[in-house]
Amino acid sequence: MAAARIYLDWNATAPLMGAAREAMLDALSMPGNPSSVHAEGRAARAVIEKARREVAHLVGAEPAHVTFTASATEAANQVLSPIYRMGKSRVALGRLYVSAIEHPAVRAGGRFSADQVTEVPVTRSGILDVDALAAQLASHDPADGLPLVAVMLVNNETGIIQPIREISATVKKFGGLLVVDAVQAAGRIPLSIADLGADFLILSAHKLGGPKGVAALVARGETLMPEPLVRGGGQEKGHRAGTENLAAMTGFGASASVMTKDLVERNAAIAALRDKAEAGMLAAARDTVIYGRGEARVGNTSFFHLPGLKAETGQIAFDLEGIALSAGAACSSGKVGASHVLTAMGEDASTGALRLSIGPDTTESDIDRFLGAFVKIAARRKPAGQAA
C-alpha cells in the first residue's frame, strides 16, 4: 500500500480545520439574510458579529474595525486607493510606496496608476531598507496628497519578519499611512494592530485553517477609510457591499479563535520541526542554501535552494515522492517562475528555490519522510552550474 501523502505547503493554503468545518456546516443551515430584521435574519447577523469579534481578537483590534472581503487580494485593492474618506470629506493620497518583496496583489498597486507607485528596495537580508524609504518619503510632494506605504509583516516565501514598528515610525514621521499585509503572520506570531503602528492590516482565512474565499481588512480606527471598492447595498457599514457569505465568515472566525489560543507554545513546536528539517538538509547536502536563516523568521517556513536543481524539477520530484511543497509562492495557477523576492535580495533567482511550510498538524514523521526524499533528490542532481 502506498504511503499517505504529506502536505508541506501551508503558506499556500492551510488544511481546513475541524472547528471551522463544523461552524460552517451549522451556518449553512441558517436560512436568514443577515440584513433582514426578522428572527432568522437576526440570528444570521449574530453569527457574523461573533466571527467579527473572533477575527478582531486575533489582531488586537476593535470588532467594528473589521471589514470582511472575499479575498486578501480584494482587501488589498480596497485599501490601496488614492481616495479616502474622512466623514464626508475626500482625502487624497498622492503616491503608493511598496516594498520590492510584496505579494503580487500589493505590487500591482491596487487603484493607483502605475506612475503613482514607487518600489522600496530591500537589503540582501530581505529586510526593507528603512533609510531608502525615509529618503523616498522625504522627497514626497505633500501637495499631491498623503503618502501610502504598504509592507508585508512576514514574507510569504522566506518567512522573514519585517521591522514594522521601525517602518511605522518612519512613515508617521512623514505623515503617511501604513498598510501591513499580515496574511502570513496571523496565527504564527502575536499581533496587535496598535503595537505594530499599522493603520490597516490584511488577513486571509485560508492561511489560518479557515475556508478559501473570505478575508478581512482591519483598520486601526474608523475616521479615515478608503472609498469602497464594491458598492451596492451598504453591507459591512458601507465599506463592502454584497450579501455576506455567512458560512465562510463563520469558518474564518472559528479558525481565528483556535489560532489565537496557545499561539506561542504551538508555534515553538512547529519551529522545532522546521529547524530539524533544515539541520537535516544541511547535513545531507552542505551546499544547501537556506534564505533568511540568519534573520528573524516565522517558525513554519524554510525557503531553500539545492545548487544543480531547478525549483520546478525539485517540486515535481518531491510530488512524485508523495510530498507537496511549493516552488516559491502559489499565486498564479501553478506557474513556476523566477522569484521576485530573491531578485530583490540580490540573489540569483534563475533556478528558483523550494518552500517548505508546515503547520499544527505536521508531525516528526512527516519531517523524517521529507528528509528521506531530500537525500534521494539531492543525490540525483547535476553538478552546480548544470541545473537539471
Side-chain angles (χ1 to χ4, degrees):
M1 180 182 294
R5 287 185 60 83
I6 295 174
Y7 188 75
L8 304 178
D9 198 16
W10 288 63
N11 283 13
T13 195
L16 184 68
M17 65 171 62
R21 181 183 293 107
E22 291 174 12
M24 293 173 71
L25 288 172
D26 288 343
L28 285 169
S29 67
M30 302 182 73
N33 185 312
S35 296
S36 298
V37 298
H38 49 57
E40 289 82 359
R42 296 197 304 274
R45 171 58 55 194
V47 167
I48 287 179
E49 296 312 315
K50 178 176 182 288
R52 199 184 309 277
R53 291 192 299 272
E54 290 168 329
V55 172
H57 182 59
L58 179 67
V59 296
E62 294 294 327
H65 300 166
V66 174
T67 300
F68 286 115
T69 65
S71 65
T73 295
E74 183 193 319
N77 277 270
Q78 179 175 345
V79 74
L80 302 181
S81 169
I83 300 297
Y84 275 59
R85 291 278 179 180
M86 184 177 288
K88 295 183 178 181
S89 301
R90 285 166 57 100
V91 178
L93 282 83
R95 179 161 291 276
L96 172 65
Y97 300 83
V98 300
S99 87
I101 59 169
E102 293 305 298
H103 188 280
V106 172
R107 294 181 75 214
R111 290 181 273 179
F112 284 88
S113 62
D115 62 358
Q116 290 178 297
V117 180
T118 296
E119 184 175 275
V120 186
V122 298
T123 68
R124 290 193 66 90
S125 298
I127 304 295
L128 182 121
D129 188 332
V130 180
D131 290 338
L133 173 63
Q136 290 171 335
L137 293 178
S139 64
H140 177 86
D141 186 353
D144 294 335
L146 300 174
L148 180 64
V149 178
V151 181
M152 57 179 19
L153 178 51
V154 171
N155 184 258
N156 52 314
E157 295 189 10
T158 64
I160 291 172
I161 301 171
Q162 297 296 317
I164 293 297
R165 292 179 183 86
E166 181 184 0
I167 293 167
S168 173
T170 300
V171 173
K172 301 310 175 187
K173 177 182 176 181
F174 292 98
L177 298 179
L178 177 62
V179 174
V180 174
D181 172 357
V183 165
Q184 297 290 350
R188 293 176 184 152
I189 57 176
L191 288 181
S192 163
I193 188 170
D195 289 348
L196 288 171
D199 294 291
F200 297 93
L201 296 180
I202 297 171
L203 305 174
S204 183
H206 76 103
K207 308 296 186 178
L208 294 166
K212 304 174 185 69
V214 62
L217 177 65
V218 183
R220 186 155 51 149
E222 289 186 286
T223 304
L224 189 64
M225 290 292 292
E227 284 201 330
L229 178 66
V230 182
R231 301 172 185 273
Q235 291 87 351
E236 293 298 288
K237 300 176 73 173
H239 300 310
R240 201 272 185 181
T243 300
E244 298 91 340
N245 187 338
L246 182 66
M249 291 174 180
T250 303
F252 190 1
S255 63
S257 180
V258 170
M259 295 302 279
T260 303
K261 300 170 184 173
D262 303 318
L263 186 151
V264 174
E265 296 82 358
R266 180 179 63 249
N267 287 292
I270 291 172
L273 291 178
R274 190 275 311 275
D275 292 346
K276 175 180 178 176
E278 292 187 343
M281 286 190 285
L282 292 169
R286 295 179 61 185
D287 58 345
T288 302
V289 179
I290 300 175
Y291 297 104
R293 193 163 184 249
E295 303 300 324
R297 292 180 294 164
V298 287
N300 83 311
T301 304
S302 181
F303 196 43
F304 65 93
H305 169 59
L306 262 174
L309 181 72
K310 286 185 177 179
E312 57 189 312
T313 303
Q315 184 178 26
I316 293 169
F318 277 106
D319 193 45
L320 293 173
E321 293 287 337
I323 298 170
L325 44 72
S326 283
C331 304
S332 51
S333 302
K335 177 183 176 183
V336 177
S339 164
H340 73 278
V341 175
L342 293 183
T343 299
M345 293 168 62
E347 301 284 354
D348 180 4
S350 60
T351 57
L354 294 168
R355 183 186 66 190
L356 173 148
S357 54
I358 61 179
D361 296 340
T362 306
T363 66
E364 193 161 355
S365 176
D366 293 338
I367 299 302
D368 289 338
R369 272 189 58 191
F370 163 76
L371 289 173
F374 179 91
V375 170
K376 291 168 61 176
I377 293 167
R380 296 200 301 261
R381 62 188 165 137
K382 293 183 178 181
Q386 301 179 34

